[in-house]
Amino acid sequence: MSPAPLAAALVFALGLSAGSRAQENTLPDMGSSAATLLTPAEESEYGAYTLYQLRHYGYVLEDPLIDSWLDGMGHRLAAVSDRPQQDFTFFMMRDRDINAFATLGGYIGVNAGLVLTAQSEDEVAGVVSHEISHVTQRHVLRAVERAKRDQLPIMLAMLGAIVASQSSNSRNSSDAIPAAVVGAQALAMQRQIDYTRSNESEADRIGIQTLYRSGYNVNGMADFFERMDRATRGNSGGYQVPSYLQSHPVTTTRISEARDRAARLQRESPRLVSDTRPAYSPLLPASLSTMGGGSANAAPPPPMFHWARERLRVLSATSPGAAVKEYKSLSDLASGRLSDAQRYGLALAQMKAGFPTAAETAFQSLAKEHPDNLWIALALAETAHVAKSDDIARARFEELLRRNPQDRAISLSYALVLNDIGTPQAGRRAQAVLRPLLTSSADDPLFQKNFGRASELAGDLPRASEAYAESAFLNGRAEDALSQFNSLLKREDVDYIQRARIEARIAAITPIVLDMRRQGMKPEDQGPDSG
């Protein structure tokens, strides 16, 4: 298949670029409304592997604290959606363009740029509730049905587009991916614009209801639409906005309709919420399971948005040094007065840039003002390691674990430090820290990679090989993962239980690899693990 059709397929399959839904400034969805094209299991598999491929090419921002924040917000919304039984997976993209998108199986991506542009968690929640509605209203499935009629691939077309662009001999081949996608967007947009306008209106309407039921400010969606409109026209976010978006801003009609719906909900909400909100959903995080039914009764969102935004500012910057410069600009604009969250971001950037003394001073000051802030406490433990004070780092991590046993962010952050220390003793401790999360983290590539390294340091090579193979698969390298699992079966030191797990994984991964081979993808096309 030539690069142009593959790039068009990429637009339908992933909506990776920020401008592909021109009128609404969001990404296109994919799917089938009647569920006759794909079974729920197939939807989930396609959505999952889309995420794996995005990871493989470095588009996904993997961070335990950001993941926890986004996941908590997303499931708070999903639990009160029209289909609370639907599985959802929320992930952060490192791109600073303003964007969010939904794909098959309830997989929803949010760009870092969207969070950087927002001024409250309510605004981000408004966009996420809109994307959740694309899934619950089956817009995603209907788009796949349309793509199927046009004979576009459902899955893996993106891999061919990227491989084709990377094989170019041009010195500007690194620009070929966005160029190919933007070139295909015009065609994709013209073919779907009438179709998506009705979907967007419905997603706005249903999304505002979900936003209200969850306890967020019901005006969050309209607030962000207005902010996005200003940002695309005036570039107020401080980062590049695609020209394609600048020529297709959010309409004033869409903003006014969102305001009207919010006002109507606030007038009529008691009956609406009490009639429709589920009493309990297993998708709702335990910390939110006792929320009240309406905005007047619901617990307020955890006050971590501003801290998450500044963490994202650092993690999405081109380098820690660039993040430090960005904070210098923010400080100049604010006459030297940074907020506490911005002070945290600056200290985080300083720590990652190799200036632990300055970071330690800033974090200690913040810890006195915010003694219960886990993000600051974790940063202090990490800073001690950067300062080569590993005894202090380990003591801080152990205290955090004592107070928060089996916390994913603490466990993964501690394992990263222990693996960096690199001794057999540190590896064994990392194994012990991570082992309680084995069952819940099977689909977590950051976990698998670190558990593999910890097992390697501890001398448990069969377990290390298994974790590395899982990491390869979760990062979009199915052929490599299958090869590693097959090699692992040949080891004499693999016990019966592990052998059964490996055989099950081989059986699950083999059909995916065969699919890739049928589409002409070769093992070398997948390249090395980006993580």
Side-chain angles (χ1 to χ4, degrees), residues 405-486:
Q406 298 185 29
D407 181 275
R408 176 180 179 268
I410 296 171
S411 298
L412 280 173
S413 299
Y414 191 13
L416 280 165
V417 167
L418 289 167
N419 287 341
D420 194 49
I421 291 172
T423 64
Q425 179 194 33
R428 287 190 291 273
R429 181 55 185 150
Q431 265 193 321
V433 167
L434 293 176
R435 192 170 281 113
L437 304 180
L438 271 169
T439 301
S440 62
S441 300
D443 294 331
D444 184 343
L446 191 59
F447 173 89
Q448 293 289 3
K449 183 176 181 179
N450 279 282
F451 191 70
R453 176 57 177 160
S455 300
E456 184 179 17
L457 290 171
D460 188 355
L461 298 185
R463 196 64 188 83
S465 298
E466 184 180 354
Y468 284 143
E470 291 289 1
S471 177
F473 177 70
L474 294 169
N475 280 289
R477 293 160 43 231
E479 186 100 33
D480 185 15
L482 184 61
S483 176
Q484 290 185 49
F485 277 124
N486 280 320

Side-chain angles (χ1 to χ4, degrees), residues 79-82 84 209 213 269-279 293:
V80 293
S81 70
D82 283 5
Q209 293 176 2
R213 293 177 191 139
S269 61
R271 181 174 63 256
L272 172 66
V273 173
S274 62
D275 288 346
T276 59
R277 188 182 190 277

Side-chain angles (χ1 to χ4, degrees), residues 179-311:
V181 174
V182 170
Q185 285 168 355
L187 173 62
M189 192 59 234
Q190 288 301 314
R191 296 165 79 176
Q192 288 212 318
I193 188 165
D194 292 336
Y195 177 72
T196 59
R197 277 176 176 160
S198 61
N199 287 352
E200 288 302 301
S201 179
E202 184 176 37
D204 285 352
R205 177 175 58 83
I206 302 298
I208 288 174
Q209 293 176 2
T210 299
L211 189 66
Y212 188 84
R213 293 177 191 139
S214 68
Y216 283 107
N217 184 339
V218 73
N219 283 298
M221 185 181 292
D223 289 344
F224 189 77
F225 285 166
E226 289 183 343
R227 197 175 309 285
M228 185 163 54
D229 184 34
R230 291 195 297 270
T232 54
R233 285 187 285 107
N235 198 17
S236 62
Y239 40 85
Q240 182 180 1
V241 177
S243 58
Y244 196 66
L245 285 183
Q246 293 177 21
S247 63
H248 297 81
V250 175
T251 65
T252 55
T253 299
R254 188 180 184 193
I255 295 171
S256 63
E257 286 178 350
R259 292 276 184 217
D260 290 344
R261 287 166 182 150
R264 190 161 54 251
L265 267 177
Q266 289 174 314
R267 290 194 304 269
E268 304 170 357
S269 61
R271 181 174 63 256
L272 172 66
V273 173
S274 62
D275 288 346
T276 59
R277 188 182 190 277
Y280 170 76
S281 169
L283 297 177
L284 192 63
S287 62
L288 301 174
S289 61
T290 59
M291 290 195 318
S295 63
N297 301 319
M304 291 306 298
F305 164 76
H306 294 287
W307 304 86
R309 184 177 62 180
E310 298 313 315
R311 187 172 182 86

Side-chain angles (χ1 to χ4, degrees), residues 98-226:
I98 304 170
N99 226 329
F101 63 94
T103 189
L104 287 172
Y107 284 76
I108 293 178
V110 177
N111 277 21
L114 188 149
V115 180
L116 293 178
T117 300
Q119 294 299 308
S120 71
E121 186 166 311
D122 302 291
E123 294 182 9
V124 180
V127 177
V128 174
S129 67
H130 172 97
E131 298 303 330
I132 286 173
S133 298
H134 276 310
V135 176
T136 63
Q137 302 308 302
R138 318 301 280 173
H139 300 158
V140 176
L141 283 174
R142 284 197 291 266
V144 162
E145 192 171 58
R146 183 180 180 88
K148 178 81 169 182
R149 288 200 303 268
D150 292 338
Q151 296 183 342
L152 292 173
I154 293 174
M155 185 179 69
L156 298 177
M158 56 160 290
L159 186 57
I162 295 174
V163 168
S165 67
Q166 287 184 330
S167 65
S168 170
N169 292 324
S170 168
R171 287 185 301 173
N172 296 322
S173 61
S174 62
D175 297 327
I177 299 172
V181 174
V182 170
Q185 285 168 355
L187 173 62
M189 192 59 234
Q190 288 301 314
R191 296 165 79 176
Q192 288 212 318
I193 188 165
D194 292 336
Y195 177 72
T196 59
R197 277 176 176 160
S198 61
N199 287 352
E200 288 302 301
S201 179
E202 184 176 37
D204 285 352
R205 177 175 58 83
I206 302 298
I208 288 174
Q209 293 176 2
T210 299
L211 189 66
Y212 188 84
R213 293 177 191 139
S214 68
Y216 283 107
N217 184 339
V218 73
N219 283 298
M221 185 181 292
D223 289 344
F224 189 77
F225 285 166
E226 289 183 343

Side-chain angles (χ1 to χ4, degrees), residues 45-68:
E45 289 173 5
Y46 287 153
Y49 209 71
T50 294
L51 174 57
Y52 302 162
Q53 290 294 309
L54 287 171
R55 285 189 188 126
H56 175 67
Y57 286 102
Y59 294 119
V60 178
L61 193 155
E62 306 274 8
D63 178 74
L65 289 173
I66 294 297
D67 290 345
S68 176

